[in-house]
Amino acid sequence: MSNPAPATTTAPARTATKRTVLMCKPTHYTVSYRINPWMHPEEPTDTAKAVAQWQTLVDTYERLGFDIHFIDPIEGLPDMVYAANGGFVLDGVAYGAKFQYPERQPEGPAYMDWFREHGLRVAEPVETNEGEGDFLLVGDVILAGTGFRSDSTSHEEIARVYGREVVTLKLVNPAFYHLDTAIAVLDPEPVDGVANIAYLESAFDEASLAELRRRFPDAIIATEEDAAILGLNSYSDGHNVVIAARATTFAEQLRQRGYNPIGVDLSELLLGGGGVKCCTLDLHPVETA
Ligand code: ARG
């Protein structure tokens, strides 16, 4: 394989692909328990503001031509807005989530019901895993996070479900407790065989970092400042990358590579420890020719 041209001199043309996603309105959103360092139940949250901000994300996806599906929010499940954790969907198969904390456990079956009702075959999880929060498809490979939420035994389970290579990555900073807080997938479809990512180096242990450097020599290295507002928790269609509006360095890094960053403000949902990607489950629909 030849090396791609340095991205700083000539930004390659990027191609948007139509995405199909699942989202959940934050009708019952609040912070009433603490399962990550971002959450402060003693501080007030504004559900109406959360809904309004979430709606701007929906509107943004609509403008980009995405196919958006919605799952009904359930009272008493304030974190259900973070749809990415509801499972992992690929090749028409939904690998269900099995949440680490009891507060979120009922979300697993709720999302599995939705998957079944929408024609997907559900692989019921035995091992603890939090869906696309910790599983990211990059090219043919599934990057899989562990350390805080998903058990590494779920990495073996998901490898069996899809028959794909799964790369275990160990997270070491509790502020970046899900893989999608520390890695952004920039190319949902490979470009000339390459699918690139952006990541935060300090979120990983040495072995995982070595693996990331080897596999993604051309990755964007995010700044601590951008990561600290969950700037990496973004969603790309291959050209447009929807990111936290305050992640300005990340936006510039994306522009240099020929991507089109689009900033949205999800400050209210950040109080629960989530951002753009957390609110977005990629359904990876099966291509029909
Ligand atoms: N409060 C939620 C939790 O701690 C936030 C989940 C964020 N989702 C994500 N995909 N990172 O589980």
Side-chain angles (χ1 to χ4, degrees):
M1 204 170 43
S2 65
N3 284 328
T8 39
T9 48
T10 35
R14 303 288 172 188
T15 312
T17 54
K18 181 178 169 171
R19 310 312 303 163
T20 301
V21 299
L22 177 61
M23 302 178 78
C24 180
K25 191 174 179 174
T27 312
H28 307 292
Y29 172 76
T30 187
V31 175
S32 54
Y33 49 79
R34 181 174 166 91
I35 58 171
N36 72 53
W38 303 81
M39 301 174 86
H40 298 284
E42 66 285 1
E43 280 163 25
T45 48
D46 182 340
T47 304
K49 187 173 167 191
V51 170
Q53 291 182 338
W54 174 86
Q55 189 59 50
T56 64
L57 181 62
V58 174
D59 295 345
T60 304
Y61 287 167
E62 235 149 43
R63 269 202 309 282
L64 294 175
F66 293 6
D67 190 0
I68 313 171
H69 296 260
F70 298 97
I71 181 172
D72 289 335
I74 298 173
E75 202 178 341
L77 297 177
D79 274 339
M80 203 172 162
V81 57
Y82 305 112
N85 304 132
F88 177 88
V89 182
L90 184 62
D91 304 334
V93 177
Y95 172 50
K98 187 172 167 189
F99 285 82
Q100 158 101 221
Y101 291 103
E103 290 89 340
R104 296 197 68 184
Q105 278 163 6
E107 293 182 46
Y111 275 91
M112 282 190 266
D113 285 347
W114 189 94
F115 297 139
R116 273 188 207 99
E117 284 158 16
H118 291 79
L120 296 162
R121 189 167 78 68
V122 170
E124 296 242 6
V126 174
E127 309 298 341
T128 298
N129 82 87
E130 299 197 353
E132 280 188 21
D134 277 323
F135 297 125
L136 297 172
L137 180 71
V138 185
D140 289 334
V141 171
I142 298 169
L143 302 184
T146 189
F148 297 100
R149 297 296 181 85
S150 300
D151 202 294
S152 63
T153 51
S154 72
H155 300 183
E156 294 150 35
E157 192 171 43
I158 197 173
R160 287 194 299 274
V161 171
Y162 295 103
R164 301 218 181 197
E165 185 185 3
V166 174
V167 179
T168 290
L169 299 169
K170 179 125 195 278
L171 297 161
V172 294
N173 181 345
F176 304 106
Y177 56 96
H178 275 143
L179 192 63
D180 70 358
T181 64
I183 291 184
V185 180
L186 302 178
D187 306 308
E189 316 288 345
V191 180
D192 297 331
V194 181
N196 206 5
I197 63 169
Y199 66 94
L200 177 70
E201 291 180 313
S202 65
F204 297 94
D205 75 357
E206 274 309 317
S208 307
L209 204 48
E211 189 64 27
L212 287 170
R213 289 184 175 135
R214 192 179 67 74
R215 284 179 184 263
F216 305 102
D218 206 30
I220 290 179
I221 304 302
T223 63
E224 296 287 336
E225 290 73 23
D226 284 344
I229 48 149
L230 293 187
L232 279 170
N233 195 254
S234 56
Y235 189 63
S236 173
D237 69 6
H239 177 224
N240 306 290
V241 189
V242 184
I243 67 170
R246 285 155 65 204
T248 48
T249 305
F250 187 33
E252 189 46 42
Q253 290 170 315
L254 288 166
R255 260 182 233 110
Q256 281 171 7
R257 310 283 184 118
Y259 298 97
N260 178 41
I262 300 173
V264 294
D265 177 12
L266 295 183
S267 60
E268 199 59 31
L269 292 163
L270 192 59
L271 303 176
V276 171
K277 179 62 185 71
C278 298
C279 296
T280 313
L281 180 78
D282 193 321
L283 290 170
H284 300 118
V286 180
E287 297 289 331
T288 42

